[in-house]
Amino acid sequence: MTKITRRKLLYTGLAAGAAVATTRCASSAPEGTPNNPAPGPEVNTNQTKDVTLRLIGTGVSQINEIRDKAQEDLGFKLEMRALSTEENNQIAITQPDQYDIFDGEYFSLPLVVPSGNLQPIAVSKIKDWDKIVPFFTSGKFEGMPVETSQGTAPYRVMYLTGADSKEFSATPTDFATLIPFQYNADTLGYRPDLVGRNIESWGELFNEEFKGKTSILDIPQIGIMDAAMVAEALGLMTFGDKGNMTKAEIDQITDILKEQKAKGQFRAFWKTFDESVNLMSSGEVVLQSMWSPAVTAVQAKGIECIYAPLKEGYRGWGGGVGLSKNLSGIQLDAAYEYMNWMLEGWVGAFLGRQGYYSAAPENAKKYMSAEEWDFWYEGKPAAVDMVDPFEKTLAKAGAVRDGGAFKDRFGNIVCWNSTMEENTYLVQKWNEFIAS
């Protein structure tokens, strides 16, 4: 049997694996005793071994090793499809019979939730809900409200008004849209060996010094935010709210992008994790929009790559897992088991070694060494070499994480990935830019 590598998974969006069956022995104690309580609502936990859950998501987390560990721990099968963000959202909205669990970003929810294809999640069934970082559950960070940040902050789309609702609630309820498991503060990545100096501002993306060697990601809702950060940094324009632009603002920023493209500023536009890694590791691009694990993937090749802590701040994003409206019975039980497993700590530590943060960091800490925790979360110099989940060295002893500690990075989020009120118009204008 041909082994499906992580790289092949990311390219093909295919994942298949063997199930590990588990059994439970029935108690022989008299009915009604603590060891054999009187019958209640029947939950066929011994049948979950026969369940197969179909997941759709991006290559960021649809990874063989996560699938294999989940199957080992939970005893049922998982089938994963790694898609682009656009494809992931499209399937979630238009093909509800094609998935059981949606692994997506919070900024996508204003598009996905109105379709009615996600069923509200009962918060009471999430055992570590109280361990989730509060900017997801209460809209606060370090005790302070995060309302000053622009865009679709996860808290704004975290809750639904009821058990059958497609309407977001501005205040906490008993029903959630997604259960978060990862998030990050995004910025620009660059090759210091090819750039020759520190990159400290978003504005550098349009610097003629790097003409023909920059790239911006081709996801309209995110790429436009990066472009806005660049334009503001250079004083080319200002926005009332970068996360909810007016048509006039969209026209102006896309005109700026078209002008930069006509000048030959961009080498390429990327949609997927692997595309960004290949552009940077090959040296075709020296400065670009980037995701944290893409930076670590370049570093794992032995190539120096920096995730720049820029003076204007970070663009934040959060991702989570949600339930298809078609789930019920034993499959729904299994899906809740999977969501609880995602918060339990192993996944948080696994993804943490790529630079992501866990939604339940204290759980992830249990699976990380003290040296790893200090490096990834506390911003301390690495006491030993840091390795990624695939045993590749990312940082030598003495190195410090780009941007420093968790609180420093997330204390400087100026905007979140967003779906704007003028989303249809934005996509139209963005596609004009890409095609220009």
Side-chain angles (χ1 to χ4, degrees), residues 22 31 42 101 106 118 129 146 153 198 202 205 212 268 328 358 426:
T22 60
E31 183 176 289
E42 183 176 353
I101 293 179
Y106 281 87
L118 297 182
W129 180 262
V146 295
N198 290 336
W202 281 91
L205 196 68
S328 62
S358 168
L426 162 64

Side-chain angles (χ1 to χ4, degrees), residues 86-360:
E86 184 178 7
E87 291 171 324
N88 196 40
N89 290 342
Q90 184 178 28
I91 291 173
I93 295 167
T94 64
Q95 302 176 50
D97 292 334
Q98 297 300 309
Y99 65 93
D100 301 307
I101 293 179
F102 168 69
D103 173 356
E105 290 189 44
Y106 281 87
F107 89 89
S108 300
L109 292 181
L111 299 174
V112 177
V113 167
S115 72
N117 290 339
L118 297 182
Q119 62 176 283
I121 297 167
V123 170
S124 62
K125 294 184 178 181
I126 306 302
K127 67 177 184 178
D128 285 331
W129 180 262
D130 62 340
K131 296 180 181 178
I132 294 173
V133 284
F135 59 73
F136 284 105
T137 56
S138 65
K140 295 181 179 179
F141 182 73
E142 296 287 303
M144 298 295 292
V146 295
E147 291 302 317
T148 54
S149 59
Q150 299 176 353
T152 309
Y155 176 70
R156 296 182 179 129
V157 291
M158 172 58 77
Y159 298 101
L160 295 168
T161 56
D164 300 309
S165 175
K166 294 185 289 184
E167 182 182 350
F168 298 115
S169 173
T171 55
T173 70
D174 294 329
F175 302 98
T177 51
L178 301 179
I179 299 304
F181 69 94
Q182 64 174 346
Y183 52 98
N184 215 338
D186 278 358
T187 179
L188 299 176
Y190 71 99
R191 286 276 300 271
D193 58 325
L194 301 180
V195 170
R197 58 182 174 82
N198 290 336
I199 297 296
E200 298 177 345
S201 171
W202 281 91
E204 296 278 21
L205 196 68
F206 289 173
N207 192 328
E208 290 185 3
E209 181 182 348
F210 310 121
K211 182 178 179 179
K213 296 182 179 180
T214 70
S215 179
I216 198 166
L217 75 167
D218 183 13
I219 300 172
Q221 296 86 356
I222 307 175
I224 201 76
M225 302 282 276
D226 282 359
M229 295 288 281
V230 176
E232 280 196 338
L234 293 173
L236 298 177
M237 66 179 293
T238 58
F239 299 83
D241 180 351
K242 290 185 290 297
N244 195 23
M245 300 178 193
T246 64
K247 283 187 175 180
E249 289 170 337
I250 293 170
D251 287 343
Q252 188 174 353
I253 188 61
T254 51
D255 283 346
I256 290 171
L257 284 166
K258 288 177 183 177
E259 181 181 351
Q260 290 295 323
K261 185 180 181 185
K263 288 180 179 179
Q265 184 66 19
F266 304 113
R267 170 66 182 84
F269 308 100
W270 61 266
K271 284 180 178 285
T272 69
F273 170 97
D274 266 2
E275 289 173 339
S276 68
V277 172
N278 293 337
L279 286 169
M280 189 65 87
S281 58
S282 69
E284 291 182 68
V285 162
V286 301
L287 174 66
Q288 67 173 350
S289 301
M290 220 163 177
W291 297 335
S292 184
V295 173
T296 58
V298 174
Q299 293 169 341
K301 296 175 182 286
I303 300 169
E304 190 177 4
C305 187
I306 293 176
Y307 210 35
L310 303 176
K311 62 185 180 181
E312 295 89 7
Y314 294 91
R315 172 179 51 75
W317 66 273
V321 284
L323 302 172
S324 167
K325 69 175 183 180
N326 296 318
L327 279 175
S328 62
I330 193 67
Q331 284 193 303
L332 182 58
D333 293 339
Y336 272 104
E337 287 186 42
Y338 178 73
M339 291 192 296
N340 280 312
W341 180 83
M342 291 290 284
L343 290 176
E344 192 270 337
W346 187 91
V347 174
F350 182 94
L351 294 172
R353 297 183 185 102
Q354 293 180 294
Y356 287 138
Y357 294 113
S358 168

